[in-house]
Amino acid sequence: MTVLDHRHTAAVPGWLPGATAPRTDPEPLLPDAAPVRVLGTPALEKTDPALLRELYRRLVVGRRYNQQATTLTKQGRLAVYPASTGQEACQITAALALQQQDWLFPSYRDTLAVVSRGVDPLEALTLLRGNAHTGYDPKASRTAPLCTPLATQAPHAVGLAHAARLAGDPTVALAMLGDGGTSEGDFHEALNFAAVLHAPVVFLVQNNGYAISVPLTQQSAAPTLAHKAVGYGMPGRLVDGNDAPAMHAVLTEAVERARSGGGPTLIEALTYRVEAHTNADDATRYRHEEEVAAWREHDPILLMERGMRELGLLDDQLVQDAADEAEALAARMRAEFHADPELDPMSLFAHVYAEPTQQLREQAAQLAAELAAEAEVHH
């Protein structure tokens, strides 16, 4: 039997002899010709004022969260902190677009999205403090652990979404990645599986211009990262990642499309990492201050303030209330992080394997012996 004699239940692909159906038209899958925007456009007047106020409040609180976490890192209270300063619109809308039963699959830079999902800031930052594998209960918060390896959470999101659909559970998974993550094999495998399985999953790529020090131009020659969706058979969307109402609209549409059986969507949000990659990075070695200054003029909070003032929706009381809430959060973070936690070193071996390996058991026994000896000395 030759390849051409092999027949599947589906139609023969259109490029083979004997095809009974044309290939899928790529036109509906192509991303937006220009990034979707709401702020500064007529669409802003049609946006729910209550939503705009909520987005503004969350942006202000999120910015203060980033600032305080960065300060805690400089004080040695966090081992490392990858700030999402400048990317807050992507972070807060990723959480807002999901319903309670949905799952969020964050990367290491997405702690603000995790906090916006309802996880306590101290718990969300426990991993980056170096105190535990993760600081929160993923099942309780429907939020996967922060993922440090690039893009490995993307296949997990697809698997969970597919399993939920098989079980009749109307759950959507949202996987958050950076532009660097799109250069990893896990990203492409996840997109392929998601499209083939028609899984209810949304991929949000925050294109902040750099994978550490590598600019996007040295990662991909595609017109946009959203164009990568077409090759896998799913729609791609391109959106201004600093435009919070636009982000909310595009994400909400993609999530509900997935929930209603429409399959996966790849969203590229154009944004910018204002701070360095982490506190261990010197961003001045690979980008100019003029570039950073230009993006500061396109800051998500600044854009929201301009748009809301034009509509008369931003008054002094709202500004003060948001600032007060932000400062209260920062004060609580300082108080909680200045208290030294009580840690159990043996917890290192928990939740590694369902059945611990021989090597893991040996390591646990060795550490237990060292701790016992140390306790005996101090006793």
Side-chain angles (χ1 to χ4, degrees), residues 28-154:
L29 307 180
L30 290 172
D32 311 82
V36 176
R37 292 189 174 93
V38 170
L39 295 170
T41 76
L44 181 61
E45 297 182 6
K46 302 177 183 178
T47 307
D48 182 5
L51 173 63
L52 294 175
R53 294 187 182 95
E54 178 67 8
L55 291 172
Y56 173 77
R57 182 187 67 81
R58 286 177 176 260
L59 284 173
V60 172
V61 174
R63 176 62 54 82
R64 190 68 185 91
Y65 165 84
N66 268 314
Q67 292 170 340
Q68 188 59 66
T70 299
T71 300
L72 290 168
T73 306
K74 294 177 180 178
Q75 296 172 343
R77 293 295 177 176
L78 286 174
V80 65
Y81 183 63
S84 59
T85 306
Q87 300 179 216
E88 289 92 351
C90 299
Q91 299 277 309
I92 64 170
T93 54
L96 276 177
L98 298 177
Q99 295 183 9
Q100 185 175 0
Q101 77 269 20
D102 297 331
W103 272 79
L104 179 70
F105 284 78
S107 75
Y108 59 87
R109 195 177 299 280
D110 300 322
T111 55
L112 176 54
V114 174
V115 171
S116 298
R117 184 86 166 122
V119 175
D120 183 85
L122 184 66
E123 296 179 354
L125 292 167
T126 294
L127 173 67
L128 300 177
R129 202 176 186 183
N131 288 350
H133 297 303
T134 186
Y136 52 88
D137 182 352
K139 289 184 178 180
S141 60
R142 313 284 282 193
T143 301
L146 292 170
C147 186
T148 302
L150 295 187
T152 56
Q153 78 275 27

Side-chain angles (χ1 to χ4, degrees), residues 178-204:
D179 51 287
T182 67
S183 298
E184 297 289 331
D186 297 81
F187 170 77
H188 300 277
E189 293 158 7
L191 262 64
N192 193 58
F193 271 115
V196 170
L197 297 173
H198 211 62
V201 60
V202 176
F203 302 95
L204 171 58

Side-chain angles (χ1 to χ4, degrees), residues 7-367:
R7 294 293 183 266
H8 297 282
T9 55
V12 178
W15 64 90
L16 293 179
T20 58
R23 297 177 66 182
T24 301
D25 180 9
E27 184 66 29
L29 307 180
L30 290 172
D32 311 82
V36 176
R37 292 189 174 93
V38 170
L39 295 170
T41 76
L44 181 61
E45 297 182 6
K46 302 177 183 178
T47 307
D48 182 5
L51 173 63
L52 294 175
R53 294 187 182 95
E54 178 67 8
L55 291 172
Y56 173 77
R57 182 187 67 81
R58 286 177 176 260
L59 284 173
V60 172
V61 174
R63 176 62 54 82
R64 190 68 185 91
Y65 165 84
N66 268 314
Q67 292 170 340
Q68 188 59 66
T70 299
T71 300
L72 290 168
T73 306
K74 294 177 180 178
Q75 296 172 343
R77 293 295 177 176
L78 286 174
V80 65
Y81 183 63
S84 59
T85 306
Q87 300 179 216
E88 289 92 351
C90 299
Q91 299 277 309
I92 64 170
T93 54
L96 276 177
L98 298 177
Q99 295 183 9
Q100 185 175 0
Q101 77 269 20
D102 297 331
W103 272 79
L104 179 70
F105 284 78
S107 75
Y108 59 87
R109 195 177 299 280
D110 300 322
T111 55
L112 176 54
V114 174
V115 171
S116 298
R117 184 86 166 122
V119 175
D120 183 85
L122 184 66
E123 296 179 354
L125 292 167
T126 294
L127 173 67
L128 300 177
R129 202 176 186 183
N131 288 350
H133 297 303
T134 186
Y136 52 88
D137 182 352
K139 289 184 178 180
S141 60
R142 313 284 282 193
T143 301
L146 292 170
C147 186
T148 302
L150 295 187
T152 56
Q153 78 275 27
H156 299 164
V158 177
L160 183 140
H162 179 57
R165 190 184 62 172
L166 292 178
D169 181 1
T171 293
V172 175
L174 172 60
M176 302 181 70
L177 308 102
D179 51 287
T182 67
S183 298
E184 297 289 331
D186 297 81
F187 170 77
H188 300 277
E189 293 158 7
L191 262 64
N192 193 58
F193 271 115
V196 170
L197 297 173
H198 211 62
V201 60
V202 176
F203 302 95
L204 171 58
V205 176
Q206 299 170 83
N207 178 4
N208 64 20
Y210 294 90
I212 307 182
S213 61
V214 180
L216 183 63
T217 53
Q218 296 180 27
Q219 297 182 64
S220 175
T224 70
L225 295 176
H227 275 81
K228 295 180 182 291
V230 182
Y232 296 101
M234 70 178 71
R237 300 298 308 274
L238 185 65
V239 57
D240 183 343
N242 288 12
D243 186 328
M247 282 296 305
H248 185 269
V250 171
L251 277 168
T252 300
E253 180 182 332
V255 167
E256 292 312 310
R257 176 179 178 275
R259 196 186 314 281
S260 62
T265 301
L266 171 63
I267 299 172
E268 177 186 0
L270 299 176
T271 185
Y272 194 75
R273 191 192 75 216
V274 174
E275 302 293 340
H277 175 68
T278 68
N279 54 293
D281 174 43
D282 180 7
T284 62
R285 299 182 63 181
Y286 54 85
R287 68 184 189 186
H288 300 291
E289 180 56 36
E290 292 81 4
E291 177 182 300
V292 180
W295 274 97
R296 288 187 186 278
E297 290 300 310
H298 198 68
D299 181 274
I301 297 179
L302 183 61
L303 295 180
M304 278 295 292
E305 289 176 343
R306 289 172 180 169
M308 293 179 68
R309 289 194 187 280
E310 289 177 2
L311 297 180
L313 296 177
L314 187 63
D315 55 32
D316 294 341
Q317 188 62 53
L318 178 57
V319 172
Q320 188 62 52
D321 289 346
D324 290 345
E325 182 180 352
E327 287 306 318
L329 172 63
R332 184 162 68 88
M333 290 173 67
R334 289 193 299 272
E336 292 178 348
F337 276 87
H338 282 302
D340 292 328
E342 294 185 7
L343 303 176
D344 177 12
M346 296 304 297
S347 65
L348 281 169
F349 305 99
H351 310 296
V352 179
Y353 292 98
E355 183 66 33
T357 63
Q358 178 62 31
Q359 184 181 37
L360 201 66
R361 289 195 296 269
E362 291 173 356
Q363 292 173 347
Q366 180 181 351
L367 179 59

